[in-house]
Amino acid sequence: MANKIETLSTVRVQKTDDLYKIVDTLNRTLKEENLMFGMALDEDDRDTAVFTIYRT
């Protein structure tokens, strides 16, 4: 059976230097709940981060 990743939510927020710490903490804390968190810079606005929650 293939492992499917489902996007649960996506939000755009103002980029800050420490935002990655939140994503890292969420991933470490909630991986046993089959949740994964991601962050990427918006392609059109480098001051905006795209935060996404996935179910694995």
Side-chain angles (χ1 to χ4, degrees):
M1 184 165 144
N3 193 10
K4 183 178 177 188
I5 297 176
E6 173 188 6
T7 300
L8 298 177
S9 179
T10 300
V11 65
R12 288 172 173 20
V13 296
Q14 183 175 354
K15 184 186 88 170
T16 63
D17 291 338
D18 289 338
L19 193 56
Y20 75 93
K21 292 178 183 178
I22 295 170
V23 173
D24 182 58
T25 299
L26 289 168
N27 278 322
R28 291 174 188 252
T29 305
L30 297 172
K31 71 179 175 183
E32 291 180 3
E33 302 296 326
N34 296 323
L35 295 172
M36 180 173 67
F37 303 85
M39 180 185 63
L41 289 178
D42 186 295
E43 292 180 7
D44 298 324
D45 181 2
R46 303 304 270 177
D47 292 327
T48 300
V50 181
F51 177 76
T52 307
I53 303 171
Y54 304 96
R55 181 175 314 281
T56 60

